[in-house]
Amino acid sequence: MEKKLIVKICTGTLCYVMGGAELQLLDEQLPAELLAQVEIQGSPCLDCCNREDSQGAPFVKVGDRIIASATIEKVIDAIKNELNA
Amino acid sequence: MAVNNAVLMRRELLTRLAKLYNKGELELKIDRIPLELRPKGSQASRCCLYKDRAMLRYKLMALLGFNIRDEEDELTPLSEYVRRAFERTEVEREPLTVVDEVCSACVKTNYVVTNMCRGCLARPCMANCNKGAISFENGQAHIDHTKCVNCGLCMKNCPYHAIVYIPVPCEESCPVGAISKREDGTEQIDYSKCIYCGRCISSCPFGAVMEKSHIMDIFKAFAGPKKVVAMVAPAIAGQFKAPLPQILGAIRELGFDDVIEVARGADETTENEAREFLHKMAEGQAFMTTSCCPSYIAAVQKHMPEIKPFVSDTLTPMQYTARIARERYPDAVLVFVGPCLAKRYETYCDPNADLMLNFEEIGSMFIARGIDVATSASMELEKGIDSTSRGYPVTSGVMNAVKTKIGDRYEVRPVLVNGLNKQSIRELRGYAKSCPGNMVEVMACEGGCVSGGNVIANPKIATRQIADVVRMSEQE
Ligand code: FES
């Protein structure tokens, strides 16, 4: 079996409060064929936030790529991109 | 609450405010916040940067706990309000305030003729308007807003669908008609009708309806000589991606001398609710409704007088907890941490509780202090709290607790009112004559407190986490 693409959703408090909480529903909204190819993980603070201001939060890591101001749509696009690359 | 930019902006403002306070620079720098968020050269979200900044300034005024309408001089800097906030000894009774500058964006007349109007010969819009509000200018229909009564006949009769309905979202969402426009187009809240459900706050796309925060009063309490104790609603268990003991630990880290779970008070609510139910049934009463949702209680008082005799007299978990906390800490400042506006009002009215922090506010305080809940030290949970008490914040949670307590002493026939809206209020009123069960649980928010107006987590996720906590406490 092919190695799955790792999707890490930051569940650090800053990201979670600044909209990251909604990303917890990613698995429900990801089309089945994509869902089969990824592994979704919650992750503690990804260290992308500088903790000084919330610019860019919430963060998600798709493979090695960091997605800032992540929304479910943005993450799905990024997943498609990575899988096609 | 569904997350959108208006919600995130409120959290951003709260976070910045708390951060400046923590650095001791609030008075010095608060007036810069609107400039930092809308710097020169950035894109305005409304007409211009200056208006955006003015809106942010007013929102900050609300977060400092002030009524925006009380502004006497537009040139009074926010720093002055910071000073006043530290001087005040009382928070305001009515928890809402409206940013008038923002809300005049909604038009009073709900019907608008669009460019699709072909200026047809038949002109059924004009022919059907009983008020003579429609005239034609340059071959297109025009609605005279001084005559229009929002009946919608023009829209129904236009063969080209050229007339559209533009709602006023806050008014549309209010289940009791408590918010309406003044002559000048700004919104006013009629507190003789308001049930503190908070829908107007969530529904306004501009975030114009704001809660007057107690955050400054809490900072002041931290700085003062008294102990400060947090009483945390059970809904908190679903709000962060961390186990409950850590969430409570993180709250403590903010500077609270003690953190008490409101589930403790829920134990008493269950106990008394069960006793009262048995008593009422023995007396031959047709049914009893729960009483823990303050929005529902306000709705009964203001809109459903016929239901009053059926509401239980049992106190809410928060009220019992505040009593317990007051006994333990006679001189402390008691801060309730909860999910919604209705609970802010309840806190205000309670003789023991002093201040209220909602989940968004506490989340912003975490960020401002750099506290990551997932790495906070756990606080030991109080022993002996019933597992059903931790399940209160989800629809059917209270019913389940009380029903379990009653056991086979009486046959409970449950009715769940999951969310107050125009229709459920109508149905509830009908129960006075004939009720389909003998115990009615009412929660103003669909899904329960996990869907409260100031929650952080998506209610689905929160519900799952609450279920986990209940399961965990069952095994205890
Ligand atoms: S909390 Fe998400 S990157 Fe730090």
Side-chain angles (χ1 to χ4, degrees), chain B residues 149-195:
Chain B
V149 293
N150 285 326
C151 69
L153 281 174
C154 53
M155 181 180 84
K156 275 191 210 105
N157 284 288
C158 174
Y160 294 110
H161 301 301
I163 300 176
V164 293
Y165 174 75
I166 302 182
V168 178
C170 62
E171 293 179 11
E172 205 113 312
S173 72
C174 178
V176 291
I179 190 162
S180 61
K181 280 201 179 297
R182 296 186 184 87
E183 261 323 297
D184 64 1
T186 57
E187 293 291 333
Q188 64 184 342
I189 295 159
D190 178 349
Y191 288 109
S192 70
K193 291 185 182 163
C194 176
I195 60 170

Side-chain angles (χ1 to χ4, degrees), chain B residues 78 84 87 117 119 151 192 194 215 231 325 328 344:
Chain B
L78 290 167
R84 287 187 203 168
E87 276 163 22
C117 173
C151 69
S192 70
C194 176
I215 198 165
M231 309 179 288
R328 285 189 206 164
R344 186 180 297 281

Side-chain angles (χ1 to χ4, degrees), chain A residues 10 12-15 45-49 59:
Chain A
C10 179
T13 299
L14 191 149
C15 285
C45 176
L46 287 168
D47 262 331
C48 301
C49 62
F59 293 97

Side-chain angles (χ1 to χ4, degrees), chain B residues 126-247:
Chain B
M126 199 167 152
N128 283 285
C129 179
N130 300 326
K131 301 288 168 198
I134 296 189
S135 59
F136 275 76
E137 278 166 28
N138 304 324
Q140 284 204 322
H142 175 80
I143 301 175
D144 180 346
H145 292 185
T146 60
K147 293 185 182 155
C148 172
V149 293
N150 285 326
C151 69
L153 281 174
C154 53
M155 181 180 84
K156 275 191 210 105
N157 284 288
C158 174
Y160 294 110
H161 301 301
I163 300 176
V164 293
Y165 174 75
I166 302 182
V168 178
C170 62
E171 293 179 11
E172 205 113 312
S173 72
C174 178
V176 291
I179 190 162
S180 61
K181 280 201 179 297
R182 296 186 184 87
E183 261 323 297
D184 64 1
T186 57
E187 293 291 333
Q188 64 184 342
I189 295 159
D190 178 349
Y191 288 109
S192 70
K193 291 185 182 163
C194 176
I195 60 170
Y196 310 103
C197 67
R199 305 267 165 82
C200 52
I201 308 180
S202 338
S203 68
C204 175
F206 287 98
V209 188
M210 294 282 294
E211 236 174 296
K212 290 172 235 169
S213 175
H214 299 170
I215 198 165
M216 293 300 289
D217 309 87
I218 288 161
F219 285 144
K220 192 175 146 193
F222 281 147
K226 291 183 180 170
K227 284 204 151 95
V228 189
V229 174
M231 309 179 288
V232 185
I236 196 84
Q239 294 303 303
F240 298 94
K241 271 286 158 213
L244 181 59
Q246 262 184 319
I247 301 178

Side-chain angles (χ1 to χ4, degrees), chain A residues 62 65 67-80:
Chain A
V62 176
R65 266 191 45 212
I67 315 294
S69 307
T71 59
I72 291 199
E73 295 71 45
K74 255 179 148 177
V75 175
I76 294 181
D77 282 347
I79 291 174
K80 282 184 191 155

Side-chain angles (χ1 to χ4, degrees), chain B residues 212-345:
Chain B
K212 290 172 235 169
S213 175
H214 299 170
I215 198 165
M216 293 300 289
D217 309 87
I218 288 161
F219 285 144
K220 192 175 146 193
F222 281 147
K226 291 183 180 170
K227 284 204 151 95
V228 189
V229 174
M231 309 179 288
V232 185
I236 196 84
Q239 294 303 303
F240 298 94
K241 271 286 158 213
L244 181 59
Q246 262 184 319
I247 301 178
L248 300 182
I251 294 177
R252 185 166 212 163
E253 225 177 302
L254 286 173
F256 288 99
D257 295 284
D258 196 2
V259 178
I260 303 176
E261 277 184 88
V262 169
R264 161 93 310 159
D267 280 358
E268 288 193 31
T269 300
T270 309
E271 182 78 45
N272 292 327
E273 203 95 85
R275 185 179 316 128
E276 208 184 330
F277 175 77
L278 291 172
H279 185 75
K280 289 203 158 136
M281 291 301 112
E283 277 187 334
Q285 188 170 305
F287 68 99
M288 182 187 94
T289 87
T290 54
S291 56
C292 359
C293 172
S295 187
Y296 163 58
I297 295 303
V300 170
Q301 281 161 358
K302 298 176 183 176
H303 304 281
M304 303 185 257
E306 58 275 76
I307 292 298
K308 235 183 235 170
F310 301 99
V311 181
S312 84
D313 294 321
T314 297
L315 300 186
T316 71
M318 192 280 275
Q319 292 165 328
Y320 284 122
T321 308
R323 255 196 208 172
I324 298 168
R326 191 46 82 211
E327 269 164 34
R328 285 189 206 164
Y329 302 100
D331 300 318
V333 177
L334 302 182
V335 181
F336 173 68
V337 181
C340 65
L341 180 76
K343 282 285 178 192
R344 186 180 297 281
Y345 185 69

